[in-house]
Amino acid sequence: MNKNYHQAKFFQSASGINSLPPELGFEVAFAGRSNSGKSSSLNKVCQQRSLARTSKTPGRTQLINFFSLPEGRYLVDLPGYGYAKVPEKVKHKWQRFIESYLDTRWTLQGVILVMDIRHPMKDYDRMMLRWAADRQLSVHVLLNKSDKLKRGMTSRALLAVKKELKQYSMPVSVQTFSALKGEGLQELWRVLDNWLYAE
Ligand SMILES: Nc1nc2c(ncn2[C@@H]2O[C@H](COP(=O)(O)OP(=O)(O)OP(=O)(O)O)[C@@H](O)[C@H]2O)c(=O)[nH]1
Ligand SMILES: [Mg+2]
């Protein structure tokens, strides 16, 4: 068990690019479509049930929530994108925010891009990957909810996504994960350790 993540505490919420905390230390952001399990994955990483709010209702996380870790490190829970029932205007606001956050946030070490393993690589995911590629920002794809698929289907999905990711020029990796069962947690901790705590 990794003690750093266990010590995560709520730090600050921001409603847009102008209310972000100062760029100090290092951070990793959890991004992905609405309902993919960003908040659940962040909670699993920190071994805390209700650090980030999760919900059956998509679009729950509307603010950018910062959680502090030891030594000036942060995990960031981003609002989900792609939820159909959100008005166009709000969708555009999110899109603009996420694009400029990825483009300008120099304390950002990498993005954990969470996808539902049953519906990976949708348009919004590809858009995120393109933005990350533009800045050569590292991405680690979590194919979440692996508990919902049989083993054979899980490895098929992993292979297909791996193949598609080859076209991107930034450092990008992928793993299967279950925020519910904890499958893949060690692998995810290793990625976060590399981004946040490597010398
Ligand atoms: N079976 C299963 N369900 C999961 C898993 N991860 C998340 N869920 C469920 O999926 C739903 C959405 O999870 P959240 O963590 O709130 O998703 P989110 O991506 O933060 O959603 P937004 O904040 O709305 O964008 C909840 O009902 C979770 O319990 C998983 O690994 N397995
Ligand atoms: Mg959320």
Side-chain angles (χ1 to χ4, degrees):
M1 220 239 37
N2 191 313
K3 287 203 187 74
N4 286 328
Y5 305 109
H6 195 64
Q7 289 176 55
K9 287 188 184 68
F10 175 75
F11 180 69
Q12 197 178 311
S13 289
S15 56
I17 203 82
N18 296 322
S19 53
L20 294 174
E23 291 180 89
L24 299 168
F26 290 143
E27 69 202 45
V28 169
F30 285 66
R33 283 157 51 82
S34 213
N35 212 43
S36 58
K38 297 173 292 297
S39 302
S40 304
S41 301
L42 195 147
N43 286 342
K44 196 70 197 175
V45 160
C46 301
Q47 303 273 284
Q48 298 184 39
R49 247 171 224 281
S50 48
L51 187 66
R53 280 185 68 187
T54 64
S55 172
K56 287 204 187 340
T57 321
R60 169 58 64 200
T61 313
Q62 301 225 341
L63 293 167
I64 308 121
N65 291 315
F66 282 75
F67 301 93
S68 63
L69 299 170
E71 298 170 47
R73 271 52 172 176
Y74 300 88
L75 296 177
V76 185
D77 192 15
L78 292 175
Y81 45 78
Y83 178 48
K85 286 191 186 152
V86 167
E88 268 320 291
K89 224 174 116 183
V90 180
K91 272 191 205 166
H92 280 125
K93 189 182 166 226
W94 283 358
Q95 207 159 316
R96 275 202 311 277
F97 161 71
I98 290 173
E99 188 175 13
S100 60
Y101 172 79
L102 293 183
D103 192 35
T104 61
R105 188 82 177 165
W106 293 108
T107 42
L108 185 60
Q109 296 297 294
V111 172
I112 302 292
L113 182 53
V114 184
M115 301 178 193
D116 185 323
I117 191 165
R118 297 165 298 174
H119 321 281
M121 295 298 243
K122 298 289 186 192
D123 288 350
Y124 278 103
D125 301 317
R126 295 195 177 106
M127 186 175 75
M128 283 289 302
L129 287 161
R130 279 200 306 275
W131 286 337
D134 288 345
R135 203 194 115 182
Q136 289 296 296
L137 183 68
S138 300
V139 175
H140 184 66
V141 175
L142 274 193
L143 296 177
N144 188 36
K145 309 196 185 185
S146 66
D147 56 279
K148 294 269 196 189
L149 290 185
K150 296 224 168 74
R151 203 173 283 269
M153 294 286 278
T154 304
S155 27
R156 280 230 300 271
L158 180 64
L159 272 178
V161 171
K162 253 188 196 156
K163 200 169 157 198
E164 186 171 340
L165 288 175
K166 281 193 182 135
Q167 65 183 282
Y168 294 94
S169 57
M170 71 291 194
V172 54
S173 46
V174 54
Q175 69 161 104
T176 60
F177 189 72
S178 166
L180 184 73
K181 306 273 186 203
E183 187 263 321
L185 184 57
Q186 297 290 341
E187 192 175 348
L188 178 54
W189 274 338
R190 272 199 298 278
V191 171
L192 292 171
D193 279 347
N194 267 331
W195 285 351
L196 292 171
Y197 289 104
E199 286 304 315

